[in-house]
């Protein structure tokens, strides 16, 4: 299988995150990339390539003012780095629009919805690299060159909305791929990260031509808390083109299988021309923040079930934070997708 890499990923590395009132090492760390790449190389059968930076593919999904903010804030962090500061954290989250705010400092909370998403000198470049990799994968799948292509990137993307970052995510890589494929036919986005793909849902919420389906830990008790509930079904022309399948904490394969079948059935009934599969290994039983109970082998079953749809697919790496389980989970999943 062809793998498109975000070679700029390490330019973004958050120095820490808030957990239970303390600052701990950030779960979303550069070592995740090497853990997956190393496992794919050891397994064999994967070819790797980089993608050229592409700003147009980002503009097709995100608000121009948000893109300009991220670029400016990264540049400002670069300058501040000379003064010893190396990361910008949002502090104030305005309740509603704040049209008089000016400058990266004042806008930090306006273009962000949580405290997991700091701006570092290399954030813009790293996020752009991920979006560009997803776009390149979509091009290959759209052209029919490949049946399925895997995007190995971090930071992840599925929490990023049209004009806000959050949940370790800046540009929505899966949405970039889906947007490109939607020019050629209907697209289904299937999100199996353990967290609800709120950004992807938000970006396509009023569209009838892009179905968004997410299976995740119940947001009543798991990040992102504010969306991912079963009664969110789309709006306007997009009514009926969004589906959420929340699962209780501790869900094991016996509980996951019917939810996955339900999600796959919705995808099949939509009759899409293409699939974008947002894959998170954070539903693994060893994940430090997921709370579900899926063993490594189950990711092979998950991949084979997705393959059963028979759709050309872009597979985008989202979360997964146990470095010991991440590579093996990705290998199992991708082998499952390729199985015949
Ligand atoms: N300190 C993705 O998996 N909350 N994002 C962490 C533990 C943020 C997850 C709580 C979770 C964001 C792409
Ligand atoms: Zn996640």
């Amino acid at each position: 299988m062809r793998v498109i890499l975000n070679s700029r990923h390490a330019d973004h590395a958050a120095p820490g995150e808030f957990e239970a009132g303390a600052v701990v090492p950030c779960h979303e760390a550069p070592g995740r990339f090497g853990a997956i790449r190393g496992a794919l190389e050891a397994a064999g059968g994967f070819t790797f390539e980089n993608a050229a930076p592409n700003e147009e593919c980002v503009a097709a999904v995100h608000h121009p003012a948000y893109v300009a903010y991220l670029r400016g804030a990264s540049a400002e962090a670069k300058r501040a780095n000379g003064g010893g500061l190396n990361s910008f954290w949002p502090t104030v989250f305005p309740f509603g629009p704040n049209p008089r705010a000016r400058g990266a400092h004042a806008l930090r909370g306006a273009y962000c919805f949580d405290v997991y998403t700091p701006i570092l000198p290399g954030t813009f470049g790293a996020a752009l690299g991920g979006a560009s990799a997803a776009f390149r994968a979509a091009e290959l799948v759209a052209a029919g060159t490949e049946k399925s292509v895997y995007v190995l990137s971090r930071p992840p993307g599925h929490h990023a909305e049209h004009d806000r970052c959050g949940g370790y995510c800046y540009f929505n890589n899966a949405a970039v791929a889906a947007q490109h494929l939607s020019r050629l036919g209907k697209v289904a986005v299937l999100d199996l990260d353990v967290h609800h793909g709120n950004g992807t849902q938000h970006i396509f919420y009023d569209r009838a031509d892009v179905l968004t389906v997410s299976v995740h830990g119940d947001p009543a008790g798991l990040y992102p808390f504010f969306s991912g509930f079963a009664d969110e079904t789309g709006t306007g022309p997009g009514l009926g083109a969004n589906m959420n399948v929340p699962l209780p904490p501790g869900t094991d394969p016996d509980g996951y299988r019917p939810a996955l079948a339900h999600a796959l059935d919705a995808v099949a009934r939509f009759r899409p021309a293409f699939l974008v599969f947002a894959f998170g290994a954070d539903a693994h039983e060893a994940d430090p923040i997921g709370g579900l109970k899926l063993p490594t082998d189950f990711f092979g079953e998950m991949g084979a079930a997705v393959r059963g749809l028979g759709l050309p697919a872009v597979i985008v790496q989202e979360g997964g934070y146990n470095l010991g389980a991440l590579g093996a989970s990705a290998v199992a999943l991708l082998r499952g997708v390729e199985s015949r």
Side-chain angles (χ1 to χ4, degrees):
M1 187 181 292
R2 258 162 105 163
V3 179
I4 316 296
L5 301 167
N6 176 10
S7 58
R8 301 285 303 278
H9 80 94
D11 292 356
H12 173 83
E17 72 178 49
F18 298 96
E19 190 169 77
V23 176
V24 301
C26 184
H27 294 287
E28 204 296 288
R32 300 178 57 242
F33 184 97
I36 298 176
R37 184 175 180 163
L40 299 186
E41 278 170 351
F46 297 94
T47 60
F48 303 89
E49 60 199 275
N50 297 321
N54 177 332
E55 296 200 19
E56 275 170 44
C57 71
V58 171
V61 161
H62 291 286
H63 194 296
Y66 169 67
V67 178
Y69 158 75
L70 266 191
R71 184 200 310 277
S74 286
E76 198 176 315
K78 217 169 281 175
R79 288 193 296 274
N81 206 16
L85 250 182
N86 58 14
S87 57
F88 286 170
W89 301 80
T91 48
V92 176
F93 301 96
F95 298 119
N98 182 9
R100 285 179 289 190
R102 292 285 182 274
H105 182 88
L107 292 171
R108 244 163 255 172
Y111 288 118
C112 183
F113 59 80
D114 67 17
V115 297
Y116 295 104
T117 318
I119 312 287
L120 305 149
T123 298
F124 181 80
L128 180 63
S132 305
F135 180 81
R136 178 66 188 139
E139 276 188 329
L140 291 169
V141 168
T145 315
E146 299 291 331
K147 185 79 198 261
S148 21
V149 178
Y150 171 58
V151 179
L152 174 50
S153 183
R154 56 163 296 281
H158 75 148
H159 295 303
E161 299 188 345
H162 180 57
D163 62 355
R164 289 197 300 175
C165 56
Y168 311 141
C169 302
Y170 301 85
F171 291 144
N172 195 314
N173 308 317
V176 164
Q179 172 61 27
H180 182 61
L181 293 168
S182 75
R183 297 158 56 108
L184 298 172
K186 290 200 293 179
V187 180
V189 183
L190 175 66
D191 190 324
L192 301 181
D193 185 280
V194 79
H195 303 100
H196 173 232
N198 62 287
T200 322
Q201 167 172 311
H202 178 256
I203 288 165
F204 297 114
Y205 207 55
D206 63 356
R207 283 182 49 177
D209 61 328
V210 179
L211 172 73
T212 42
V213 177
S214 182
V215 180
H216 46 260
D218 189 345
L222 186 70
Y223 186 91
F225 307 115
F226 61 84
S227 79
F229 300 93
D231 60 358
E232 298 157 19
T233 56
T235 190
L239 189 62
N242 187 79
M243 187 169 99
N244 288 323
V245 187
L247 298 169
T251 294
D252 64 5
D254 288 342
Y256 200 95
R257 247 177 231 118
L260 179 59
H262 185 49
L264 293 172
D265 187 53
V267 171
R269 277 185 284 114
F270 186 69
R271 300 196 172 282
F274 301 101
L275 180 73
V276 174
F277 176 13
F279 161 59
D282 45 9
H284 192 282
E285 59 191 354
D287 192 84
I289 64 174
L292 298 197
K293 290 265 177 298
L294 304 183
T296 303
D297 288 353
F298 187 75
F299 288 93
E301 191 180 326
M302 189 188 268
V306 170
R307 187 189 187 283
L309 290 167
L311 293 168
V314 174
I315 305 157
V316 181
Q317 184 65 44
E318 301 289 353
Y321 306 102
N322 181 311
L323 293 187
L326 189 48
S329 302
V331 168
L333 180 102
L334 297 173
R335 286 273 189 266
V337 170
E338 288 180 310
S339 64
R340 50 196 86 233

